């Protein structure tokens, strides 16, 4: 079935930025059937413990993966932006022990697990590309654990703002950077293991080195200063691989 | 109801975003938690001023109450 073949082009672009796929394999990705779903800000569209039969691709908006404690306090464990498939891994682990929430109005494409599995079974290189994408997510999660476990509040927020700049804008040079990050201070607190007041206080300190988060926008005037405070090294994001660095291990 | 939590420690930080909460008691509970968290952050850096406080205002900007660090921390020296 070929309902929306062009809609998954950004998903294909993401996969092929890290993995090598043949024309036939690329076609198979573009031909995956999809269903469009709109979610409102703060809506949980995958709930804790749910069993899902599809994965979600983010067309636009912002998605948080989260867990929570017994009091219902949430910790955001991952952020997913346009071009990400936050729960690609659910095709092999459909019982969730996490949940997904739209942090702003978000458009998703739902792709049936059955179709993803069939594509992976027919083309081992597609399975490899899916796996590789999941390992990048795991690499980001590992950085976030270092962030909440071993960095102070200022470094944590700086690291997060650097990471999101690279993920939204691609490789960042030394010029000032402006990008939209539609998160409240409360949501930033949930992503960094801080409280909203602490986030507010820390953002005020970051202004002293030329970084603003105001409304839904981030402005970084001195990238090197922010990256130094955040101890940010973008290698784990794998967003700027040269063609010869893209991998294909299976034939 | 939306409440705003302004921090007054070594510098003043105004809350322009606010937090949606059911009532004033919930706002007081959150202010206490914030005061303890910020006091703990100070202690991590080797200092603490018990007169520092979190002030809570309503949507109109009216001051409702303040929670001083010293009011929500028991300090013992033996």
């Amino acid at each position: 079935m070929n309902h929306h073949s062009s809609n998954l082009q950004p998903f294909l672009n993401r996969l092929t930025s890290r993995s090598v796929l043949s024309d036939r394999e690329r076609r198979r990705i573009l031909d995956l059937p999809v269903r469009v779903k709109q979610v409102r800000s703060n809506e949980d569209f995958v709930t804790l413990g749910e069993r899902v039969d599809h994965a979600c691709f983010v067309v636009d908006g912002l998605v948080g993966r989260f867990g929570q404690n017994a009091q219902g306090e949430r910790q955001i464990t991952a952020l997913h932006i346009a071009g990400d498939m936050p729960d690609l891994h659910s095709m092999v682990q459909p019982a969730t022990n996490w949940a997904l929430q739209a942090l702003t109005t978000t458009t998703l494409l739902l792709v049936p697990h059955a179709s993803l599995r069939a594509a992976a079974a027919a083309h081992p290189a597609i399975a490899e590309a899916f796996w590789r994408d999941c390992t990048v997510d795991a690499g980001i999660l590992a950085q976030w654990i270092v962030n909440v476990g071993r960095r102070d509040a200022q470094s944590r927020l700086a690291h997060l703002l650097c990471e999101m700049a690279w993920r939204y804008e691609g490789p960042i040079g030394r010029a000032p950077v402006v990008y939209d990050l539609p998160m409240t201070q409360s949501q930033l607190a949930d992503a960094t293991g801080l409280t909203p007041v602490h986030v507010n206080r820390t953002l005020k300190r970051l202004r002293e080195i030329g970084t603003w988060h105001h409304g839904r926008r981030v402005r970084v005037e001195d990238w090197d200063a922010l990256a130094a405070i955040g101890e940010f090294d973008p290698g784990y994001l794998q967003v700027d691989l040269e063609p010869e660095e893209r991998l294909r291990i299976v034939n | 109801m939306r409440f705003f939590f302004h921090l007054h420690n070594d510098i003043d930080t105004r809350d322009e975003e606010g937090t949606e909460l059911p009532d004033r008691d919930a706002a007081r509970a959150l202010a206490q938690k914030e005061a303890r968290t910020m006091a703990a952050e100070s202690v991590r850096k080797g200092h603490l001023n018990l007169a520092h406080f979190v002030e809570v205002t309503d949507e109109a900007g009216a001051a409702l109450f303040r929670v001083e660090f010293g009011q929500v921390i028991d300090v013992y020296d033996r």
Side-chain angles (χ1 to χ4, degrees), chain A residues 73 151-153 156 183-187 195-198 200-202 204-205 208 213-215, chain B residues 5-7 9-19 30 33-34 37-38 41 44-45 54:
Chain A
E73 294 172 319
R151 293 194 181 106
D152 69 14
R156 275 185 223 183
M183 292 176 76
T184 63
Q185 282 164 16
S186 224
Q187 290 167 340
T195 64
V197 164
H198 202 177
N200 200 10
R201 169 78 171 73
T202 307
K204 184 162 183 175
R205 282 188 66 201
E208 294 163 14
H213 176 270
H214 196 74
Chain B
F5 297 79
H6 313 288
L7 176 66
N9 58 3
D10 51 324
I11 59 172
D12 291 349
T13 308
R14 287 201 67 73
D15 178 7
E16 290 167 15
E17 192 175 281
T19 302
L30 183 55
K33 182 183 162 188
E34 291 283 12
T37 301
M38 295 313 300
E41 186 63 16
R44 282 162 62 95
K45 290 173 179 164
V54 173

Side-chain angles (χ1 to χ4, degrees), chain B residues 27-74:
Chain B
R28 186 176 290 278
L30 183 55
Q32 289 179 353
K33 182 183 162 188
E34 291 283 12
R36 286 177 177 142
T37 301
M38 295 313 300
E41 186 63 16
S42 274
V43 170
R44 282 162 62 95
K45 290 173 179 164
H47 54 83
L48 176 62
N49 185 331
L50 295 173
H52 286 166
F53 59 94
V54 173
E55 182 174 60
V56 180
T57 60
D58 63 15
E59 272 171 278
L64 300 177
F65 56 85
R66 59 172 62 176
V67 176
E68 289 183 11
F69 292 5
Q71 294 173 325
V72 289
I73 305 166
D74 293 326

